[in-house]
Amino acid sequence: MAYVITDTCISCGSCAADCPAGAIAEGAEHYEIDADACMECGACAATCPTGAIEEQ
């Protein structure tokens, strides 16, 4: 199951830098994960300082 970034994202970019699949990009209001590209590894969730990344 792919991960999603919630509204508690502060757009720091740490998740995008640690995503081995390159599935995370800056969106209109916060960073977003491309569900089709997500490898479901959880690296982004482990890096997020606000806990804004959850399994969908």
Side-chain angles (χ1 to χ4, degrees), residues 1-6 33 38-42 44-45 51-56:
M1 187 162 281
Y3 285 78
V4 294
I5 300 177
T6 66
I33 299 174
C38 179
M39 298 176 6
E40 303 171 23
C41 67
C44 58
I53 303 174
E54 304 173 346
E55 282 188 277
Q56 191 173 15

Side-chain angles (χ1 to χ4, degrees), residues 12-55:
C12 68
S14 62
C15 59
D18 284 348
C19 179
I24 303 175
E26 193 167 1
E29 296 188 24
H30 55 70
Y31 276 78
E32 297 176 355
I33 299 174
D34 178 349
D36 293 330
C38 179
M39 298 176 6
E40 303 171 23
C41 67
C44 58
T47 302
C48 182
T50 62
I53 303 174
E54 304 173 346
E55 282 188 277

